[in-house]
Structure formats: structure tokens, C-alpha cells
Amino acid sequence: MDVGEVWQRVQPVGDVMLSGRPLVVVLAAAVVAVAVGPVWSVLRLGVTLVHELGHAGVGVLCGRRFTGFVLRGDMSGAAVTVGKARGPGRVATTWAGYPMPALVGAAAVWLAGHGWAPPVLAAVLLVLVAALVRSRSLLTVLVVLAVGAATAWLWWAGPELVQAQVLVATGIVLVVGAWRHLGAVAGAGRGADDPGVLTELTHVPRVLWLLSFALVCGWATWVVGTTVVAAIRG
């Protein structure tokens, strides 16, 4: 492996044709992933991973220090960032978790359909390497390693069409997962969850924070839907 070969593999490849049978395969895989209980129970950890890294990434952008995160067997997680206890940075960091799977999912679908699967996979791999050193439990390490290994293989050895297919299916799963997580937190009504913390920090009612999450999820769903419809129409 040399620098030139690596550079070649992070270049966009142009529009990828996802219509016809390839798109049917993608949609079927996504439906199975979110509809079959045992499959979803595993993939939920991936949605939680994106949720927690959303907290971490926005926290770092807001000047906070990301010290570590964990994924738990009940599919929940926690990310720790150090900084001011209150203020816009803390609010943005806390808000970022629930919308992040939807945002990442929409971006993955749109970019995959426009030939950007290779650079997206390379970027995801870099994020996972950084996340690995901040993993604070055995389960977290195993999940990050598993996702990282699959991403590395797909980026280095996967055909261009397969890369795009996997990203589209993953994006759909993330968007659906974001809605499912939002439904769970909306029905829980717990003061210690993200909407509750946001309410404590800002005195803005919990329902408005839930609405803000839903608006982002709705926009992401629209992006995914229009991208898939455009692919179907060819």
C-alpha cells in the first residue's frame, strides 16, 4: 500500500446507478434490518454509536474536550465531554445526539448516490479510529472494532456499486433508527434524558426539544425519500 493508492481510493467515482435490481436489493436489506427483531437488536447499537459520537463531535466543535464514551448492553450509551456546565456549547452538545443518526443517514444516502462512497467510507474509518481510543468498555471496543473492520474492508476491497449500496442501506437504517429512538424518548418522559437536560439548561419546554428532533428527522426522511425516488426513476 502506498500513498498514491490510498489517495486514489478516497476519490469520488461519479454518479453510481442504483436503479433496478441494485436498488431493490438495497431497500429489501434495509427493510429486513429494521423489521426483523434479532437483526434490529444488533443494529440498534450502531444507531446508538452514531448518537453518542454526535454528542462528542459537536462537543469538540464547541470547544469542549471529549474524554470517552460507552455503549451498554441495553442499547443505551453515554458520551462525556468536559467544558462549561452551561451555555450554548453545552446545549448544542446535548441536543446533537438524537438528530445525528438521521443527519448522518441522509448524508450517506445522498453522497452514495452521487459517487462519494469512497471518501465517505474513508472519513467514517478515521472517525472510528479516533473513537476507539475513547472507548471505555469492552462492549464499546468490540462494536467500534466490528464496524471499523467492516468499513475498512468495504472501503479497500468493495466494488463501487457495493459501496454505494451498503451506504444507502445504512443511511436508511440510521434514519429509521433515529425515528425509533425519538419515539422511545418521547414516550419515556424521564427528566435525566437529553430533552430533560436541555429543559433544565434552557427552561425551554421538553416538547419543543422533541419537536426540534422530529423536524430534523423529517427533513432527513425527505432527503432519503427524494434521493431514492430519483434513483428509481433513473
Side-chain angles (χ1 to χ4, degrees):
M1 182 191 306
D2 57 35
V3 174
E5 190 174 5
V6 172
W7 177 249
Q8 182 63 32
R9 291 177 184 271
V10 299
Q11 301 303 303
V13 295
D15 288 358
V16 177
M17 295 302 295
L18 282 170
S19 58
R21 183 176 297 176
L23 186 59
V24 172
V25 171
V26 167
L27 296 178
V31 168
V32 169
V34 300
V36 178
V39 178
W40 174 246
S41 66
V42 174
L43 293 183
R44 278 181 60 191
L45 275 173
V47 180
T48 303
L49 173 64
V50 177
H51 175 118
E52 300 306 335
L53 293 181
H55 285 309
V58 172
V60 170
L61 291 175
C62 291
R64 300 176 66 83
R65 184 165 56 89
F66 175 40
T67 60
F69 77 109
V70 295
L71 303 175
R72 305 187 182 101
D74 63 358
M75 309 305 165
S76 66
V80 178
T81 63
V82 178
K84 293 182 179 179
R86 307 188 75 89
R90 174 73 190 285
V91 171
T93 300
T94 304
W95 180 86
Y98 279 99
M100 194 57 65
L103 290 172
V104 171
V109 171
W110 191 89
L111 290 169
H114 290 79
W116 282 75
V120 168
L121 290 169
V124 169
L125 190 57
L126 290 175
V127 169
L128 291 172
V129 170
L132 183 62
V133 300
R134 292 290 185 267
S135 300
R136 295 294 181 261
S137 74
L138 178 59
L139 176 62
T140 310
V141 169
L142 292 176
V143 171
V144 173
L145 283 175
V147 176
T151 302
W153 178 88
L154 186 63
W155 170 61
W156 192 255
E160 294 169 359
L161 180 58
V162 174
Q163 291 179 340
Q165 286 178 297
V166 172
L167 273 185
V168 170
T170 300
I172 293 172
V173 169
L174 286 174
V175 172
V176 174
W179 279 114
R180 294 186 67 160
H181 280 200
L182 177 57
V185 75
R190 295 176 296 178
D193 56 22
D194 290 354
V197 173
L198 287 166
T199 297
E200 191 275 329
L201 289 171
T202 65
H203 304 294
V204 174
R206 173 189 178 89
V207 66
L208 293 182
W209 290 114
L210 292 172
L211 178 60
S212 73
F213 298 156
L215 288 173
V216 174
C217 290
W219 176 82
T221 303
W222 177 83
V223 170
V224 170
T226 55
T227 302
V228 170
V229 168
I232 291 173
R233 291 175 176 174

